């Protein structure tokens, strides 16, 4: 039988898709990142930027580049030299690692041209398996398993892009997920990434990453590091409250 956490996540997944996925606190930037038809590469590039800085800041980077270049057509981005990207990243202080991330950005654009015929949506078009999508994200410079599963997870869970299965979409542990999984008693207090990932697989093998957003939301709204709001929390009746 499903536990409450999985039930909540499945219910969200079965609800109609929300109008827009919120990545940042800027509606124009969100609209831009949600336009997978016109700018599918903006989504890919934003995922690749999501390393070692706050997610909000990372996800804003493609829109910041767009404001700078006045275009985000892939064929126009391709003409921009690496040194120009480095200059934009450094001048606008877009990332903690401006030179490295400018390289990641630049190389991803040429990979999308070369491997996906200039259309990043070919990464997820035609109902591929979840392992194929995760693998394709892993192939980008600078991408690891956390970014790749997150990218596939958002496509499946929030954009409702159809894959032939969701087995390979793991949870992407962050501080909120760690806290909630430990306090709920799913994993020991000293659990590492692997324990969290395999517990999520055990909880919902057909789509382990489905609980990712629910854990994150519980962690942000109720399961705060200090003074958790247990009385208001949606998983209170099944939580072991391990502190
Ligand atoms: S019931 Fe309390 S400890 Fe458990 S997840 Fe909710 S806020 Fe955290």
């Amino acid at each position: 039988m499903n536990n409450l956490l999985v039930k909540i996540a499945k219910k969200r997944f079965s609800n109609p898709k929300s109008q827009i996925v919120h990545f940042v606190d800027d509606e124009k930037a969100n609209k831009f990142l949600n336009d997978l038809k016109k700018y599918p590469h903006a989504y890919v590039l934003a995922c690749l930027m999501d390393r070692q800085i706050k997610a909000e800041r990372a996800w804003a980077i493609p829109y910041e580049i767009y404001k700078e270049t006045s275009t985000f057509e892939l064929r126009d981005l391709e003409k921009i030299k690496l040194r120009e990207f480095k200059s934009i990243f450094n001048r606008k202080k877009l990332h903690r690692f401006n030179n490295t991330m400018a390289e990641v950005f630049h190389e991803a654009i040429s990979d999308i041209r070369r491997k996906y015929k200039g259309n990043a949506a070919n990464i997820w078009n035609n109902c591929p398996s979840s392992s194929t999508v995760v693998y394709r994200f892993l192939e980008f410079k600078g991408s690891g398993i956390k970014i790749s599963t997150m990218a596939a997870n958002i496509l499946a869970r929030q954009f409702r892009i159809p894959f032939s299965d969701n087995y390979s979409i793991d949870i992407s542990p962050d501080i909120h997920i760690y806290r909630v999984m430990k306090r709920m008693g799913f994993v020991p207090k000293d659990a590492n990434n692997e324990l969290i990932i395999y517990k999520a697989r055990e909880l919902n093998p057909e789509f382990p990453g489905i609980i990712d957003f629910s854990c994150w939301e519980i962690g942000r709204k109720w399961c705060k590091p200090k003074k958790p709001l247990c009385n208001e929390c949606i998983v209170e009746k099944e939580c072991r409250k391990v502190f």
Side-chain angles (χ1 to χ4, degrees):
M1 187 166 134
N2 283 332
N3 68 63
L4 187 54
L5 192 57
V6 173
K7 272 192 209 149
I8 291 168
K10 283 188 170 172
K11 187 161 182 292
R12 286 194 198 292
F13 193 45
S14 64
N15 287 343
K17 177 187 175 298
S18 57
Q19 293 287 317
I20 193 155
V21 183
H22 284 266
F23 295 107
V24 292
D25 278 337
D26 174 338
E27 281 324 292
K28 283 187 184 164
N30 280 323
K31 214 170 152 205
F32 173 77
L33 289 165
N34 273 256
D35 194 348
L36 293 189
K37 278 208 170 73
K38 195 168 179 195
Y39 302 124
H41 47 288
Y43 175 77
V44 175
L45 292 164
C47 290
L48 296 176
M49 296 296 105
D50 196 355
R51 278 167 58 189
Q52 310 215 27
I53 55 170
K54 287 206 156 142
E56 283 260 334
R57 186 175 164 203
W59 282 81
I61 292 175
Y63 192 64
E64 289 299 316
I65 301 270
Y66 172 56
K67 286 197 287 188
E68 191 76 12
T69 56
S70 308
T71 175
F72 216 74
E73 297 299 330
L74 198 84
R75 61 178 171 274
D76 297 327
L77 293 178
E78 267 188 295
K79 292 176 196 153
I80 300 175
K81 301 262 187 297
L82 174 58
R83 66 169 184 281
E84 294 173 61
F85 276 126
K86 283 188 176 174
S87 155
I88 297 171
F89 269 75
N90 281 293
R91 180 162 37 80
K92 297 190 73 153
K93 297 186 174 53
L94 294 180
H95 203 282
R96 190 170 154 210
F97 305 109
N98 285 307
N99 288 337
T100 305
M101 298 315 280
E103 283 170 21
V104 168
F105 201 94
H106 181 256
E107 201 161 310
I109 290 164
S110 88
D111 281 353
I112 291 166
R113 161 65 56 210
R114 195 166 43 81
K115 292 186 187 163
Y116 301 106
K117 300 180 180 157
N119 180 8
N122 286 331
I123 295 170
W124 54 81
N125 277 346
N126 302 318
C127 212
S129 69
S130 55
S131 54
T132 299
V133 176
V134 171
Y135 186 88
R136 286 171 176 168
F137 273 97
L138 273 173
E139 287 186 307
F140 285 104
K141 180 186 173 89
S143 178
I145 194 68
K146 195 170 171 199
I147 288 178
S148 302
T149 50
M150 173 200 71
N153 203 349
I154 297 171
L155 287 170
R157 213 186 52 226
Q158 291 181 266
F159 285 109
R160 307 292 167 86
I161 302 289
F163 301 153
S164 62
D165 68 77
N166 293 313
Y167 286 97
S168 297
I169 304 181
D170 278 318
I171 199 165
S172 308
D174 71 357
I175 46 166
H176 301 297
I177 292 167
Y178 270 107
R179 200 165 56 247
V180 172
M181 296 282 277
K182 288 176 188 179
R183 286 181 175 173
M184 286 194 77
F186 286 127
V187 291
K189 281 170 113 173
D190 59 352
N192 57 18
N193 260 1
E194 284 72 28
L195 283 180
I196 301 238
I197 288 169
Y198 276 84
K199 179 51 74 177
R201 289 185 188 179
E202 184 187 299
L203 290 172
N204 195 45
E206 67 271 21
F207 190 170
I210 202 170
I211 63 169
D212 198 300
F213 181 71
S214 302
C215 284
W216 181 84
E217 188 184 34
I218 292 165
R220 291 260 296 207
K221 279 194 186 167
W222 302 288
C223 200
K224 297 174 185 292
K226 291 178 188 165
K227 298 190 183 164
L229 307 169
C230 296
N231 290 341
E232 298 165 30
C233 179
I234 50 175
V235 290
E236 199 271 336
K237 66 179 180 194
E238 283 193 13
C239 181
R240 289 177 55 199
K241 303 184 188 67
V242 181
F243 293 106

